[in-house]
Amino acid sequence: MRSLPPNAILVVVGEGRGRPLVEEEVAALGLDGRVRLSGRVANSDLPAYYAACDIFALPDLRDFPWLAVLEAQACGRPVVTLDTQAARLTVDAGRTGLLARDLAEFRAFLGALARDRRRSREMGERGPQYVRTFHSLAVRIEQIEQMLAGETAEAGQ
């Protein structure tokens, strides 16, 4: 939270075994008014959370293709996450989001983007088109049909 503007509020969506630890840390740091733990949220309620946020931040070191990263971009929100193979496949780095090498860079990117409203807005605006162009269901269906037909990207060029 130190890297964020003083009026920033962090909303953590989801539930896990680490929640008591997070609650203790929030209390110990005196961040009760700045950190909100929403707990588990129904999928049907997620669009409201994306709409309410300014930046979608996912500081996860695991290399998973998180659907939430695509959902946030589809909802017009810039993404800050760690630079993993999955992130490189789902974020247009520098255009729809920022990919950090480590947690220190993640914090720096998040703070910088939170302070640069114009850049944050522009990145978010690029997200929906990026998702439609490269990650939509129609794109995936076409790729699967090409694969089943024995075509590859190289063969089509």
Side-chain angles (χ1 to χ4, degrees):
M1 291 299 293
R2 285 187 297 260
S3 66
L4 296 175
N7 62 345
I9 296 172
L10 175 66
V11 177
V12 179
V13 177
E15 193 67 46
R17 293 177 300 198
R19 183 181 179 125
L21 216 57
V22 173
E23 290 172 339
E24 288 174 22
E25 191 70 14
V26 167
L29 294 171
L31 295 173
D32 292 325
R34 294 189 63 199
V35 177
R36 299 190 181 136
L37 305 176
S38 69
R40 187 174 306 258
V41 173
N43 284 341
S44 59
D45 293 335
L46 286 175
Y49 282 86
Y50 291 124
C53 79
D54 292 318
I55 301 166
F56 178 82
L58 183 66
D60 200 310
L61 296 166
R62 296 173 294 172
D63 191 11
F64 289 134
W66 297 107
L67 183 58
V69 169
L70 290 172
E71 291 172 340
Q73 292 172 101
C75 290
R77 297 300 176 252
V79 170
V80 178
T81 191
L82 291 160
D83 188 0
T84 64
Q85 183 175 352
R88 287 187 296 275
L89 293 172
T90 56
V91 177
D92 189 359
R95 293 186 43 76
T96 66
L98 300 173
L99 305 180
R101 291 181 303 245
D102 54 36
L103 291 174
E105 188 172 61
F106 174 88
R107 285 189 291 275
F109 282 171
L110 184 57
L113 201 54
R115 286 178 173 77
D116 190 343
R117 306 295 292 161
R118 183 184 57 78
R119 184 175 185 208
S120 179
R121 185 187 70 252
E122 289 171 354
M123 287 180 133
E125 288 171 352
R126 292 183 195 115
Q129 183 61 45
Y130 168 73
V131 172
R132 278 192 303 274
T133 302
F134 297 103
H135 299 284
S136 70
L137 184 57
V139 168
R140 294 292 174 248
I141 289 170
E142 183 178 333
Q143 289 170 336
I144 292 169
E145 288 174 343
Q146 288 174 354
M147 185 177 64
L148 292 174
E151 298 175 21
T152 63
E154 294 81 27
Q157 295 176 345

